[in-house]
């Protein structure tokens, strides 16, 4: 299948380039696009792509491919919309967009949203075991902890090509456009701490929201949110699960922490399922699934199959065989709505202004202070 890449930054260079290089049985990269010509040439050279572009419009107009991988940072709504309108199939890295309106405006087409952890063999095994236990109704609680060092430390091994040839004025205009989208999501008067929280929710915590969707369904209510420490700092989120039980997410940005670590523990009446994820940039580093069952027996499950690679194969099957993806536009929209509920809950708890989509009934029905929130300590501040 002939494909084009939009975005030639860190994730593309560290993850997608090596995977696409070894999966030439599935994909032929014929064109690449980035604001930086330096990055486009570097990635194009590594993948043997003849087409090199610095404009998405020019890339799509030139054509010569069947599908587009949208791997750039920021909101992907406009790029995805253009690609779908051109008749191309799209694999879009998370998040799909920054606003619900962007998703609502997308044309019909073949769209898959990339949440590679959903394709991790350990996650799929945990889903199978959970189904045997009775599904979401069997869950007592889901507890997530993320220890997130700096991106630079996680990618130090990758020898990334750096972009130094993008017009600063263009970057300023793109940042302004993205800020405008966040204002549409949260309201013009939303303060910086609420905007920063929303950014982390959609940029990183969305992976955990996507796992909650697979295991339990998206949370319909967020009952408590707190944030503290130097931005992006630490974030705590809690609420009821759709079927039964509660969830909690604790996300910590620890710049000098030795290594990325993410733990997702699912507790049920008869035991636990615990997933421990390594850094997403380490190809074929296995996620460990520990199954705790009767008589305190522990069974560990590991598989070195790379989740990003399984995701790429799933995209190929989606485009060529019509096999539905694990996350489509609807799933991407669910995560945007949940992120807006998180931002709205935090704003209400701290008497901060909130508006835009986050104040709509669909986004945040339980907007009043809850007794749970009022009882929790807040002395650490935002």
């Amino acid at each position: 299948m002939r494909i084009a890449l939009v975005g030639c930054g860190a994730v593309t260079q560290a993850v997608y380039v090596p995977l696409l290089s070894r999966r030439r049985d599935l994909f032929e990269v014929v064109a690449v696009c980035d604001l930086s010509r330096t990055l486009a040439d570097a990635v194009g050279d590594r993948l043997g792509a003849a087409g090199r572009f610095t404009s998405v419009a020019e890339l799509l107009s030139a054509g010569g491919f069947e599908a587009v991988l949208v791997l750039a940072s920021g909101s992907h709504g406009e790029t995805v919309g253009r690609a779908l309108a051109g008749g191309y199939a799209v694999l879009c890295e998370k998040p799909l967009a920054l606003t619900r309106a962007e998703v609502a405006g997308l044309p019909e087409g073949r769209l898959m949203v990339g949440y590679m952890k959903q394709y991790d063999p350990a996650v799929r095994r945990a889903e199978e075991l959970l189904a045997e236990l009775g599904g979401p109704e069997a869950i007592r609680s889901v507890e997530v902890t993320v220890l997130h060092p700096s991106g630079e430390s996680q990618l130090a091994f990758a020898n990334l090509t750096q972009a130094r040839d993008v017009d600063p004025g263009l970057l300023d205009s793109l940042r302004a456009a993205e800020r405008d989208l966040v204002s549409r999501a949260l309201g013009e008067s939303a303060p910086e701490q609420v905007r920063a929280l929303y950014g982390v929710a959609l940029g990183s915590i969305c992976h955990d929201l996507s796992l909650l969707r697979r295991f339990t369904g998206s949370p319909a209510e967020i009952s408590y949110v707190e944030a503290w420490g130097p931005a992006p700092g630490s974030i705590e989120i809690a609420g009821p699960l759709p079927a039964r039980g509660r969830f909690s997410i604790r996300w910590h940005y620890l710049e000098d922490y030795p290594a990325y670590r993410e733990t997702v523990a699912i507790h049920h009446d008869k035991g636990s399922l615990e997933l421990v994820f390594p850094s997403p940039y380490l190809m074929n580093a296995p996620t460990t699934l520990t199954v705790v069952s009767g008589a305190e027996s522990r069974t560990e499950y590991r598989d070195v199959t790379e989740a990003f690679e399984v995701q790429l194969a799933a995209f190929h099957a989606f485009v060529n065989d019509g096999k539905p993806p694990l996350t489509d536009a609807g799933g991407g929209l669910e995560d945007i709505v949940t992120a807006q509920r998180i931002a709205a809950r935090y704003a209400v708890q701290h008497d901060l202004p909130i508006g835009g989509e986050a104040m709509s009934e669909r986004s945040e029905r339980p907007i009043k202070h809850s007794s749970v929130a009022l009882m929790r300590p807040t002395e650490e501040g935002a």
Side-chain angles (χ1 to χ4, degrees):
M1 184 168 72
R2 292 168 300 169
I3 62 173
L5 308 184
V6 175
C8 298
V11 175
T12 299
Q13 293 181 51
V15 175
Y16 282 95
V17 167
L19 288 178
L20 290 168
S21 296
R22 76 188 191 195
R23 294 314 306 262
R24 296 181 191 270
D25 58 320
L26 298 180
F27 301 101
E28 178 188 1
V29 181
V30 300
V32 298
C33 178
D34 195 276
L35 294 175
S36 166
R37 182 69 193 213
T38 299
L39 295 190
D41 285 339
V43 171
D45 288 345
R46 290 177 64 183
L47 292 173
R52 319 280 176 88
F53 299 89
T54 57
S55 161
V56 171
E58 292 177 1
L59 168 76
L60 298 176
S61 177
F65 43 86
E66 303 154 61
V68 180
L69 272 58
V70 180
L71 311 175
S73 59
S75 180
H76 301 126
E78 182 179 354
T79 299
V80 169
R82 288 184 176 184
L84 291 174
Y88 300 105
V90 177
L91 169 58
C92 173
E93 266 289 353
K94 57 77 186 168
L96 175 56
L98 297 181
T99 66
R100 288 186 279 141
E102 292 172 273
V103 180
L106 293 177
E108 293 292 327
R110 295 166 294 173
L111 171 61
M112 172 177 171
V113 184
Y115 286 101
M116 85 293 183
K117 289 176 183 176
Q118 293 185 335
Y119 290 92
D120 192 301
V123 170
R124 305 309 297 274
R125 179 59 178 154
E127 285 185 289
E128 294 171 359
L129 294 172
L130 181 59
E132 294 172 5
L133 291 165
E137 291 79 8
I139 296 175
R140 179 70 62 85
S141 71
V142 179
E143 299 171 5
V144 178
T145 302
V146 179
L147 306 177
H148 196 305
S150 70
E152 291 77 11
S153 66
Q154 292 187 70
L155 287 163
F157 71 93
N159 191 30
L160 301 176
T161 300
Q162 302 297 322
R164 299 183 177 89
D165 57 343
V166 181
D167 178 14
L170 175 59
L171 291 176
D172 288 342
S173 68
L174 291 173
R175 293 188 188 102
E178 188 161 306
R179 183 172 180 82
D180 181 62
L181 287 172
V182 175
S183 293
R184 295 181 192 180
L186 307 179
E188 291 285 350
S189 59
E192 286 305 316
Q193 61 262 51
V194 177
R195 292 170 179 266
L197 172 64
Y198 188 59
V200 173
L202 277 182
S204 182
I205 295 175
C206 63
H207 277 298
D208 303 298
L209 301 180
S210 79
L211 293 177
L212 283 177
R213 274 195 290 111
R214 295 298 302 170
F215 293 134
T216 72
S218 293
E221 177 187 347
I222 303 297
S223 58
Y224 174 79
V225 179
E226 190 52 271
W228 65 96
S234 293
I235 297 168
E236 182 178 0
I237 304 163
L241 294 170
R244 174 179 179 245
R246 295 184 63 83
F247 77 93
S248 65
I249 298 173
R250 294 175 178 84
W251 185 95
H252 305 283
Y253 180 79
L254 306 168
E255 185 162 347
D256 298 320
Y257 199 77
Y260 178 94
R261 183 180 177 88
E262 177 180 0
T263 303
V264 178
I266 303 170
H267 302 296
H268 55 91
D269 291 340
K270 298 180 180 180
S272 300
L273 305 171
E274 183 184 79
L275 293 154
V276 179
F277 297 87
S279 170
Y281 305 116
L282 299 178
M283 294 291 94
N284 300 99
T287 297
T288 300
L289 168 62
T290 302
V291 181
V292 181
S293 55
E296 294 192 59
S297 66
R298 291 176 175 265
T299 304
E300 289 193 353
Y301 172 89
R302 293 186 181 91
D303 189 325
V304 297
T305 302
E306 173 53 47
F308 274 108
E309 186 171 352
V310 179
Q311 179 176 266
L312 283 170
F315 180 61
H316 187 275
F318 171 46
V319 176
N320 289 279
D321 305 324
K323 184 177 180 180
L326 296 183
T327 296
D328 56 11
L333 177 60
E334 285 185 47
D335 294 340
I336 294 169
V337 171
T338 303
Q340 291 180 1
R341 286 174 172 153
I342 291 168
R345 172 56 59 198
Y346 178 82
V348 168
Q349 285 179 199
H350 292 271
D351 295 320
L352 298 171
I354 189 75
E357 294 176 343
M359 275 298 292
S360 72
E361 185 210 4
R362 181 179 176 186
S363 176
E364 184 59 39
R365 290 180 183 175
I367 194 66
K368 60 183 181 297
H369 284 295
S370 69
S371 58
V372 173
L374 292 173
M375 290 170 63
R376 297 297 295 269
T378 59
E379 63 269 15
E380 288 174 293

